[in-house]
Amino acid sequence: MDGPKVPPRSAGALAGILDSPEIGRLIAELGETRWTGRPGYPLRAMVGVALAKSLYSIPTWTRTVALVREHDALREAIGGECPSVYAAYRFAAKLRAYSDLLDACIARVLDRLHREDPGMGRDLSIDGSDRPAYANGQRFVSKGGRERADSEFSDQDASWGHRSAISTRKGGGYYGYKIDMATCSHTGLPVAWNVRSARHAEAPAAAPLLDAVRAHGFAPETAAMDKGYDVGPVYDACEDRGIRPIIPLRNTSKVERGEHRPPSCEHGTWTFAGSDPSRGASKWRCPTGECKPASRWVKADRLHPLVPRKTARFLR
Ligand SMILES: [Zn+2]
């Protein structure tokens, strides 16, 4: 088997996560549920295998169980006994019925990280990433045949979509999900994420994601996103929540007409003199101060964000 290599520290890391009060409480709460058809293995072992699957990014339970069985230290970390593939698979399926317990566990972990680093989540990076569905993703019923209706897909939550044409990957048809993720720019840790069908555009996903970030107790000040989010409603969604959007401009007709440029006069290009979020506007000044008035407010929008493009914070 061509399994992933396990660094020596990893078994200790897995044991550490299982021993944390946050995961310990999840295991205890799962134990208190009326868990029909007990897995036959301790819940610590079941949660441990599930954690190993995600820690090592292993796509299948077969390979996860094989990995844990092969490594004494990993097996010890989850309590000494590795569940069967079938037990692990069934456990994962049942865990979906207890997603509220999982969500509460994630909230506890984020809360602790936030308490240890109060600056966490202040500056966000938001991105949508592809996640293939491990399901029947054949786009056509037969070669050259008609395109499948969504109802014919075995995994009905996923559908054909297109990778963002501006992403670094080559664009094209893509079957699966997208995960919209808000990551803390300083710690690199995710603070909220949502899953959506790949065929839905990423920009409408921004507002619910920002709400999820706030529901986790974070108070972001800026949110950096790629050009796929460069549409007016995303700017409004950010500003409505007191967050400065930091998004590069697409070359739209307004941009071609130069409407995004700072004000100017016979004395030259006006200079940025600060923003007032409560006013929802940025202030700009005549470079020589000879104009009357010598400064004016420009309402925040896609073309004129409160953190102007070309400033240090924007280019960060
Ligand atoms: Zn002037």
Side-chain angles (χ1 to χ4, degrees):
M1 194 193 79
D2 189 21
K5 293 272 179 289
V6 180
R9 280 187 317 149
S10 291
L14 179 58
I17 295 170
L18 283 166
D19 289 336
S20 70
E22 291 79 10
I23 299 292
R25 188 161 149 199
L26 173 67
I27 293 170
E29 286 174 348
L30 286 172
E32 285 163 17
T33 60
R34 287 157 57 89
W35 191 272
T36 51
R38 291 259 161 199
Y41 298 89
L43 280 163
R44 181 188 167 99
M46 306 309 305
V47 172
V49 168
L51 281 170
K53 186 174 188 285
S54 85
L55 271 180
Y56 309 120
S57 306
I58 309 172
T60 66
W61 291 109
T62 307
R63 290 177 63 176
T64 307
V65 166
L67 179 82
V68 174
R69 287 205 167 136
E70 270 175 23
H71 291 79
D72 295 345
L74 283 180
R75 218 171 46 248
E76 279 312 308
I78 67 166
E81 193 187 4
C82 184
S84 69
V85 172
Y86 183 66
Y89 173 82
R90 288 231 319 160
F91 174 76
K94 289 212 168 195
L95 211 46
R96 281 179 211 131
Y98 298 102
S99 59
D100 53 332
L101 297 184
L102 265 183
D103 291 345
C105 177
I106 288 164
R108 286 195 295 276
V109 172
L110 288 171
D111 189 52
R112 178 167 155 198
L113 290 166
H114 195 186
R115 273 184 282 118
E116 288 176 6
D117 179 0
M120 184 177 171
R122 194 175 295 153
D123 297 296
L124 301 175
S125 298
I126 287 180
D127 201 5
S129 59
D130 296 332
R131 185 181 186 281
Y134 296 106
N136 185 353
Q138 298 295 312
R139 186 165 193 174
F140 297 95
V141 173
S142 60
K143 201 177 177 202
R146 71 186 165 86
E147 197 162 341
R148 279 172 192 260
D150 275 357
S151 59
E152 292 178 272
F153 286 108
S154 56
D155 185 346
Q156 295 196 15
D157 292 332
S159 61
W160 276 94
H162 289 273
R163 283 186 170 154
S164 166
I166 50 151
S167 82
T168 50
R169 291 170 298 257
K170 198 163 178 270
Y174 177 76
Y175 180 75
Y177 303 93
K178 289 262 191 184
I179 297 183
D180 298 302
M181 179 103 70
T183 308
C184 167
S185 304
H186 303 298
T187 61
L189 294 169
V191 293
W193 53 93
N194 286 329
V195 179
R196 68 181 145 91
S197 166
R199 72 180 157 174
H200 296 127
E202 59 199 347
L209 189 59
L210 294 173
D211 288 337
V213 169
R214 283 149 54 102
H216 280 156
F218 297 97
E221 293 174 6
T222 70
M225 307 176 214
D226 68 27
K227 284 183 181 181
Y229 296 88
D230 179 36
V231 292
V234 173
Y235 291 82
D236 294 342
C238 288
E239 288 298 343
D240 286 349
R241 292 161 179 79
I243 301 166
R244 305 284 89 76
I246 295 182
I247 309 172
L249 264 186
R250 283 175 302 122
N251 197 20
T252 57
S253 54
K254 283 182 177 177
V255 173
E256 268 174 23
R257 287 197 296 272
E259 291 179 26
H260 62 298
R261 291 205 191 96
S264 62
C265 64
E266 65 198 69
H267 311 111
T269 301
W270 286 31
T271 54
F272 177 62
S275 287
D276 183 350
S278 62
R279 190 192 277 255
S282 54
K283 196 176 196 180
W284 295 81
R285 240 182 229 128
C286 163
T288 63
E290 290 169 80
C291 281
K292 296 266 185 291
S295 69
R296 69 180 174 91
W297 291 97
V298 176
K299 197 182 163 303
D301 62 10
R302 169 181 169 253
L303 298 172
H304 308 96
L306 293 187
V307 178
R309 296 181 178 86
K310 293 175 182 167
T311 61
R313 203 172 185 195
F314 199 94
L315 296 172
R316 180 191 60 197

